[in-house]
Amino acid sequence: MKRVHLKPTDPCWCGSGIPYGECHQHADQKIAYYKKRGHIVPPPRLLRTREEIEGIRASAAINTGVLDHVAAHIHEGMSTEEINTLVQEYTVSHGAVCAPLNYEGYPKSVCTSVNHEVCHGIPSHRRKLRSGDIVNVDVSTIFNGFYSDASRMFMIGEVKPEVQRLVEQTKECLKRGIEAAQAWHFVGDIGAAVQQYAESCGYSVVRELGGHGVGLVFHDEPFVSHVGKKNTGMLLVPGMVLTVEPMINMGGPGVELDRYNGWTVYTQDGKPSAQWEHTILITEEGPEILTW
Ligand code: MF3
Ligand code: CO
């Protein structure tokens, strides 16, 4: 997009049909200003057009439907493979595709991470949900080529109060991270908000994995760390779509990768970990959650 060559009377590059001078010109000038001041700014390819946003919104609506479907059917005694079947069948019956399936060789349609599994747990017939388990179900959908990504925690049967608290406070971390994602603030503000709250609860934040740009591909720039400092990292600009997905550990922050399947990430100390995720759109008026 050669926006620099647009005259104020030209139609805007975003496809709104409105003249550039009344549409994105002001934002483009603001981006140029921050860049000159030494900040990292998003390249134009990270700013979604109105049509693209509608496409991502439609994908996100199906993704939310999948999670609601899981919420309605998840129960004690069920295997994580059965969750995979719920996700696969619902998604396909709505004309969409499960983004995880075959993604970089991933073998299933969803990630199901139980207890001390931090993320990328692989559904299995052998893993049956028992009373006291907490499980993250991480659903990602492709619809008409547009990607969306969200996850929720489910508590099975009677979960220990301190583990319930981890699940609830991790949801609060997500809420605070999203609230920090204001236009013309910075990606580092998201991490700072999550880290401050998680650590104030006595928890630790996983550093090796984070959120990401999403929409036209599964994982795009920027990397959204859940630790960080305010006013650092990439500038947040209206039209960016990204995920916030804090992984919060009850014990230490250390994680390790499953050597056999190459995917599943565990806490090093074996203590439980929780995660919640939304896909959000940065707007002038504040972050908009697309995945509910
Ligand atoms: N859904 C995960 C995320 O939030 C990515 C999973 S990749 C997979 O980024 F291949 F494991 F599915
Ligand atoms: Co994600």
Side-chain angles (χ1 to χ4, degrees):
M1 271 168 252
K2 297 195 192 105
R3 287 183 275 157
V4 283
H5 300 304
L6 289 179
K7 293 194 285 289
T9 51
D10 287 337
C12 190
W13 57 263
C14 76
S16 62
I18 298 169
Y20 181 53
E22 294 162 37
C23 195
H24 273 87
Q25 187 178 34
H26 184 62
D28 287 348
Q29 285 166 348
K30 265 173 109 159
I31 293 169
Y33 165 82
Y34 281 101
K35 190 173 178 189
K36 218 166 143 185
R37 299 270 305 255
H39 287 289
I40 303 163
V41 301
R45 65 172 188 81
L46 295 184
L47 305 186
R48 303 278 64 86
T49 66
R50 221 177 37 169
E51 286 74 17
E52 289 168 343
I53 290 165
E54 290 322 305
I56 299 165
R57 209 185 281 289
S59 172
I62 296 172
N63 203 74
T64 302
V66 178
L67 279 164
D68 289 344
H69 184 59
V70 171
H73 295 279
I74 195 165
H75 59 86
E76 191 179 333
M78 168 190 246
S79 72
T80 54
E81 176 67 30
E82 289 173 75
I83 297 173
N84 190 77
T85 303
L86 288 173
V87 170
Q88 173 65 29
E89 290 182 357
Y90 184 100
T91 303
V92 169
S93 76
H94 287 75
V97 172
C98 296
L101 188 60
N102 301 317
Y103 173 77
E104 293 185 3
Y106 186 78
K108 293 285 177 175
S109 300
V110 63
C111 298
T112 52
S113 306
V114 185
N115 300 338
H116 77 298
E117 294 175 350
V118 172
C119 64
H120 304 165
I122 301 177
S124 161
H125 285 295
R126 285 171 297 136
R127 187 61 173 95
K128 291 202 165 56
L129 298 176
R130 296 180 288 261
S131 181
D133 284 343
I134 58 169
V135 56
N136 173 274
V137 179
D138 190 342
V139 175
S140 315
T141 298
I142 315 172
F143 183 62
N144 283 335
F146 294 104
Y147 287 73
S148 55
D149 190 4
S151 78
R152 296 182 199 165
M153 295 299 296
F154 297 97
M155 298 195 256
I156 309 300
E158 288 201 21
V159 174
K160 282 191 210 153
E162 69 259 37
V163 179
Q164 284 183 32
R165 179 175 173 268
L166 172 71
V167 169
E168 282 150 18
Q169 300 295 36
T170 301
K171 192 175 189 178
E172 180 65 21
C173 287
L174 172 63
K175 183 164 176 268
R176 289 177 180 230
I178 292 171
E179 276 163 10
Q182 300 292 332
W184 314 111
H185 292 220
F186 297 89
V187 170
D189 297 27
I190 300 171
V194 171
Q195 182 178 15
Q196 188 278 325
Y197 188 72
E199 291 178 355
S200 79
C201 295
Y203 301 140
S204 59
V205 181
V206 173
R207 289 153 195 261
E208 287 81 353
L209 302 117
H212 47 92
V214 66
L216 302 194
V217 295
F218 200 169
H219 294 109
D220 209 337
E221 283 188 280
F223 174 71
V224 181
S225 177
H226 300 104
V227 297
K229 290 195 166 45
K230 283 191 70 145
N231 300 313
T232 65
M234 190 180 282
L235 180 69
L236 293 166
V237 173
M240 290 172 79
V241 177
L242 44 88
T243 75
V244 181
E245 47 179 305
M247 283 148 272
I248 306 298
N249 294 350
M250 191 177 266
V255 296
E256 59 194 21
L257 184 65
D258 188 302
R259 287 167 241 215
Y260 302 101
N261 71 30
W263 279 101
T264 308
V265 176
Y266 306 91
T267 58
Q268 250 164 22
D269 58 15
K271 293 189 178 166
S273 182
Q275 177 178 30
W276 293 81
E277 175 178 19
H278 273 309
T279 295
I280 66 169
L281 167 68
I282 306 301
T283 82
E284 258 338 318
E285 290 76 37
E288 183 190 343
I289 297 173
L290 300 179
T291 38
W292 63 22

